[in-house]
Amino acid sequence: DIQMTQSPSTLSASVGDRVTITCRASQSISSWLAWYQQKPGKAPKLLIHKASILESGVPSRFSGGGSGTEFTLTISSLQPDDFATYYCQQYDYYSGTFGQGTKVEIK
Amino acid sequence: EVQLVQSGAQVKKPGESLRISCKASGYRFSTYWITWVRQMPGKGLEWMGRIDPSDSSTNYSPSFQGHVTISADKSISTAYLQWNSLQASDTAMYFCARHNLISADDYWGQGSLVTVS
């Protein structure tokens, strides 16, 4: 089983800050990495797939990078609507393991 | 418009069986896999498994293999998640999602809350 580890678990930041979340895979997953945003009581929303491809309609302040085992999600200028929990997910033909999540809180 | 509409909240007793559903519309159902994801109260997302509705082939997480069954009826564009014997630890929100082999789980249902008590 591929394990996904996110850091930090919680991130306190202010509006306008640049924030970066890291996700590490226990083995190489090439670029098969997605990022999701989830707000309380809502379904997750896909932000990025294949490590760096932004979904249609997702603001350009979100960006993803990395390959192999190390990946990042960066929000260039945090907005009030961005306070949420973020999850990475590796996806291949047989599985789809999530990281444990990073909660982005208001500082 | 792609939509996944899940069945409503359920309250069950330990040992009872349950099947929840996920009805797809707005796309060709057989073309995309359906993923099921568990979220226990206050916790993170857990990948349970996926089904290919075209031939009902499935992949399960080892954590859920043998405890749940994922199925699909392509004639009514609906996927299912089933338990034969619920436990209190199955209390959670369950989400279905459309899985695109390239772009991961791109559309999600609203969630089905299962309470076992």
Side-chain angles (χ1 to χ4, degrees), chain A residues 36 38 89 91-93 95, chain B residues 39 47 50 59 102-103 105:
Chain A
Y36 300 85
Q38 188 182 31
Q89 182 201 31
Y91 58 103
D92 62 19
Y93 186 83
S95 63
Chain B
Q39 188 166 39
W47 187 87
R50 264 189 224 132
N59 293 319
I102 301 299
S103 57
D105 299 315

Side-chain angles (χ1 to χ4, degrees), chain B residues 36-58:
Chain B
W36 285 96
V37 173
R38 182 175 79 174
Q39 188 166 39
M40 299 176 77
K43 302 298 184 182
L45 305 174
E46 298 176 89
W47 187 87
M48 301 177 71
R50 264 189 224 132
I51 187 164
D52 179 351
S54 68
D55 63 4
S56 290
S57 59
T58 52

Side-chain angles (χ1 to χ4, degrees), chain B residues 1-96:
Chain B
E1 179 195 6
V2 174
Q3 282 194 310
L4 297 174
V5 178
Q6 297 185 228
S7 48
Q10 296 275 350
V11 180
K12 306 292 278 187
K13 294 183 181 346
E16 291 185 331
S17 63
L18 175 65
R19 188 177 77 168
I20 61 175
S21 65
C22 171
K23 182 167 178 60
S25 61
Y27 73 97
R28 188 174 172 190
F29 183 63
S30 295
T31 308
Y32 296 84
W33 292 60
I34 293 288
T35 296
W36 285 96
V37 173
R38 182 175 79 174
Q39 188 166 39
M40 299 176 77
K43 302 298 184 182
L45 305 174
E46 298 176 89
W47 187 87
M48 301 177 71
R50 264 189 224 132
I51 187 164
D52 179 351
S54 68
D55 63 4
S56 290
S57 59
T58 52
N59 293 319
Y60 289 93
S61 163
S63 300
F64 293 93
Q65 178 96 45
H67 186 56
V68 298
T69 302
I70 296 171
S71 61
D73 184 343
K74 60 185 177 183
S75 70
I76 54 171
S77 301
T78 302
Y80 301 98
L81 180 65
Q82 180 176 334
W83 296 260
N84 288 333
S85 181
L86 285 159
Q87 304 168 5
S89 58
D90 294 317
T91 294
M93 182 72 81
Y94 293 88
F95 295 101
C96 66

